[in-house]
Amino acid sequence: AFMYLFPGTLFIIPLAVTQLDGWKISQISTSGYLALTYSIIAITLANLFFMYGLKYKKAHSVGVFQYLESVALFVGAWFLLGERPTAKFAMGAILVFAGIYLAEAHFHKRKKLFKFEHPRWYRYILARHS
């Protein structure tokens, strides 16, 4: 996960430094430190679970969960922060679920229609060298 996030951090550091003008670390409250700690833990765990999923599942199956991320975040904000869904959110959520359905349906249909089988000579070589 470190190698996954580190390159992006290198590009953000120069931009972040320009925002620190007149800022003091003593201005951060206890709730600010708690929010920062929670963010670091949540992002780290999310990326570890994503990497674990990529290691043990097929990439297209893991990728579907990335599409659900924005919907899940809003549902969490709805319950935790009292955010109210709007018509734009509902339309976006419908489009996300429609896209997931189309991607998965297309993948499974293609998988059944085009079942690839290696030529006989290739299977022979694999059997001899296994």
Side-chain angles (χ1 to χ4, degrees):
F2 174 76
M3 294 307 293
Y4 179 70
L5 294 173
F6 184 70
T9 305
L10 292 177
F11 291 103
I12 291 175
I13 288 174
L15 298 172
V17 169
T18 63
Q19 300 297 314
L20 294 177
D21 188 32
W23 181 81
K24 293 183 177 128
I25 199 161
S26 61
Q27 295 173 327
I28 300 175
S29 65
T30 304
S31 62
Y33 282 113
L34 289 173
L36 184 60
T37 303
Y38 173 75
S39 297
I40 290 170
I41 292 170
I43 290 170
T44 302
L45 286 175
N47 282 295
L48 287 174
F49 287 139
F50 181 72
M51 295 297 165
Y52 178 83
L54 282 177
K55 185 175 180 180
Y56 294 105
K57 298 289 182 187
K58 293 183 179 180
H60 78 274
S61 297
V62 176
V64 168
F65 290 102
Q66 284 186 315
Y67 299 123
L68 292 173
E69 180 180 356
S70 58
V71 176
L73 286 173
F74 187 82
V75 170
W78 186 7
F79 288 111
L80 296 173
L81 303 175
E83 294 285 331
R84 296 284 176 231
T86 62
K88 287 181 182 179
F89 168 75
M91 187 56 151
I94 290 169
L95 289 174
V96 165
F97 286 115
I100 291 170
Y101 173 77
L102 290 173
E104 285 297 302
H106 174 70
F107 176 77
H108 291 296
K109 185 188 291 184
R110 189 182 76 213
K111 189 175 169 185
K112 290 177 185 171
L113 286 177
F114 301 108
K115 185 168 182 168
F116 179 75
E117 195 169 301
H118 290 288
R120 193 176 300 164
W121 61 268
Y122 187 78
R123 288 192 309 256
Y124 174 77
I125 292 172
L126 284 178
R128 300 259 305 157
H129 295 293
S130 303

